[in-house]
Amino acid sequence: MPKTYNNLLPKIYDFENLHRAYLKARAGKRTRLEVMRFEQDLEGNLIQLQNELIWRMYETGKYRLFDVFEPKHRIVAALPFRDRVVQHAIVSVIEPIWEQRFHFDSYACRPGKGTHAGADRAQDFLRRVQRQHGRVYALKADISKFFASIDHGILKKLIRRRIACQPTLALLDAIIDSTAGDGLAPVGLPIGNLTSQLSANIYLHELDDYAKHKLGERHYCRYMDDFIIVHHDKQHLHRVRADIEDWLWRELRLKTNHKTQVFPVAVRNGRALDFLGYRIYPTHRRLRVDSIKRIKTKLRRLKRQYAAGEISIDDITPSIKSWVAHASHAQTFGLREFVMKAFVFKREAMPPQTPPHLLRS
């Protein structure tokens, strides 16, 4: 029997834990009105949340929907600030329970992981197989409508394998069943919840286990709902694909989407592995074309806003640093140099003002 954990709720509503959760929730958002309002009576608001959790009176607030278009169109559901504080408090207590059990090759929303580490690992797999066998193939798979397809019943069952604290389970059940609309839904988690990210990793940890231990795939890695398997035998990967797709539906009620396929990875008679924002070969790595288009579009917009005096350099710098950091993990020196030279930020020249004494004449 797997080890289970009890008496977690007191750790969640511990005042110091709630205060740390508040600091995490406000990071980068201190100027937002709802954050400033919460801070006006910080101690009182944290005590209110603490009492609601102690007496099991806490209810998830109403979601606010908004559209995100990068890197693709998604509908994100955001909770009020006080609810985000609660979610940070929950995750800080329960995430370590799973973190020590998650597989090394799971790279999304985990300490010390991320897109760059995942891309490095994928390229390492390509190089190993290329070096040992002289050819390399990849199974690149995406889960179709992943967050919208997560089965509540299956997720709750997986959580109960590790958590035995009934008040904590009731709290997690209520968050899982909360939706952006009215009533309850048997499937789907809102994109944007911190608990949704952890729940997604708990859900697909089962896939990691199956691929690594049941199928014995050494060159497997996953970033949220995208996963790859690298091998030297194309037919082997086709069999693995069929096996995984059957298992995904049978165990997790998930399907792969139309972009899932097996292909050779090579500069000649093949193509790049498109993964985590990069086009990856065993020998080198390039940025995706749409990533280059997005940064150019964004810099044009920022250039216009800066010229008009609508934003400052401080508003521009984080975007540039973020893109340069991402681009620097690929062979992009010339591209970065071109982009930095092409987008020079200047203020529009102000028209000369008429001297006051001439206005009076």
Side-chain angles (χ1 to χ4, degrees):
M1 289 290 292
K3 180 180 178 180
T4 57
Y5 294 78
N6 218 322
N7 301 316
L8 297 175
L9 190 64
K11 297 179 181 179
I12 293 171
Y13 65 63
D14 175 78
F15 189 84
E16 291 302 319
N17 185 52
L18 287 172
H19 187 261
R20 287 192 297 269
Y22 146 75
L23 294 175
K24 292 177 181 178
R26 81 168 188 184
K29 304 178 180 68
R30 292 198 68 172
T31 58
R32 294 188 181 180
L33 183 59
E34 63 172 343
V35 178
M36 291 190 289
R37 284 176 175 170
F38 192 90
E39 287 183 330
Q40 286 177 351
D41 183 17
L42 177 59
E43 185 175 3
N45 284 320
L46 291 178
I47 290 173
Q48 176 66 29
L49 283 176
Q50 185 181 48
N51 286 331
E52 291 178 20
L53 291 168
I54 290 173
W55 299 106
R56 305 179 197 180
M57 297 173 62
Y58 170 77
E59 293 183 358
T60 304
K62 186 177 181 180
Y63 288 92
R64 174 176 59 87
L65 300 181
F66 60 94
D67 294 287
V68 172
F69 294 94
E70 292 185 8
K72 61 182 179 182
H73 177 245
R74 295 177 298 167
I75 299 175
V76 176
L79 283 169
F81 181 73
R82 72 190 306 270
D83 296 279
R84 299 201 294 275
V85 172
V86 171
Q87 296 220 353
H88 275 282
I90 293 170
V91 169
S92 68
V93 172
I94 70 171
E95 184 179 44
I97 295 172
W98 277 279
E99 179 58 34
Q100 60 186 316
R101 293 171 175 82
F102 285 154
H103 287 278
F104 180 86
D105 287 314
S106 168
Y107 287 89
C109 307
R110 295 182 60 198
K113 300 293 184 176
T115 56
H116 299 148
D120 289 344
R121 185 67 162 169
Q123 188 168 41
D124 181 53
F125 288 162
L126 294 175
R127 286 172 172 168
R128 287 188 200 178
V129 174
Q130 177 76 45
R131 185 168 58 247
Q132 292 172 6
H133 301 280
R135 63 184 183 278
V136 57
Y137 294 88
L139 165 61
K140 170 69 167 58
D142 299 342
I143 305 296
S144 177
K145 301 177 181 177
F146 173 53
F147 278 93
S149 302
I150 292 175
D151 185 286
H152 290 192
I154 295 174
L155 176 59
K156 292 174 184 177
K157 182 179 178 181
L158 295 175
I159 291 173
R160 280 161 171 77
R161 288 182 184 176
R162 296 295 174 187
I163 294 180
C165 176
Q166 291 304 314
T168 300
L169 289 172
L171 178 60
L172 291 173
D173 287 351
I175 293 173
I176 290 169
D177 289 330
S178 68
T179 63
D182 296 325
L184 302 179
V187 295
L189 295 181
I191 299 174
N193 274 6
L194 188 66
T195 52
S196 293
Q197 297 172 9
L198 176 58
S199 295
N201 270 337
I202 292 171
Y203 207 77
L204 285 183
H205 173 67
E206 303 303 303
L207 170 62
D208 302 341
D209 250 354
Y210 185 73
K212 286 280 191 179
H213 297 312
K214 299 295 184 181
L215 299 181
E217 295 302 320
R218 296 171 55 203
H219 302 128
Y220 161 96
C221 73
R222 176 179 64 82
Y223 187 94
M224 198 52 72
D225 56 336
D226 295 350
F227 64 92
I228 64 163
I229 299 176
V230 176
H231 202 271
H232 66 277
D233 187 337
K234 181 178 180 180
Q235 296 308 314
H236 171 81
L237 289 179
H238 279 299
R239 291 191 296 270
V240 168
R241 174 185 177 178
D243 194 334
I244 285 179
E245 288 178 336
D246 179 67
W247 182 90
L248 278 171
W249 178 249
R250 186 175 68 252
E251 300 294 330
L252 300 178
R253 288 295 181 263
L254 297 175
K255 295 180 179 179
T256 59
N257 66 18
H258 68 280
K259 294 186 289 184
T260 298
Q261 53 189 300
V262 174
F263 52 89
V265 181
V267 176
R268 295 182 179 178
N269 302 318
R271 68 186 219 211
L273 172 61
D274 191 342
F275 191 53
L276 301 180
Y278 301 100
R279 293 179 294 130
I280 306 172
Y281 293 96
T283 53
H284 63 285
R285 194 185 311 178
R286 301 290 187 192
L287 278 189
R288 291 177 58 176
V289 175
D290 59 352
S291 174
I292 299 171
K293 289 181 179 178
R294 280 199 305 272
I295 190 60
K296 288 182 177 179
T297 300
K298 186 170 188 176
L299 289 177
R300 288 190 194 100
R301 174 173 54 81
L302 292 174
K303 187 177 178 180
R304 288 194 301 268
Q305 291 175 323
Y306 181 75
E310 298 172 0
I311 58 175
S312 69
I313 286 294
D314 290 340
D315 299 313
I316 299 168
T317 302
S319 294
I320 294 177
K321 285 186 175 180
S322 176
W323 181 79
V324 169
H326 176 68
S328 64
H329 285 262
Q331 279 67 41
T332 58
F333 179 80
L335 173 65
R336 281 178 278 150
E337 188 176 40
F338 168 78
V339 170
M340 292 302 101
K341 288 181 179 179
F343 293 93
V344 179
F345 292 86
K346 296 181 180 179
R347 294 287 193 198
E348 291 179 350
M350 298 296 292
Q353 294 184 348
T354 305
H357 69 281
L358 294 179
L359 289 174
R360 292 193 297 269
S361 61

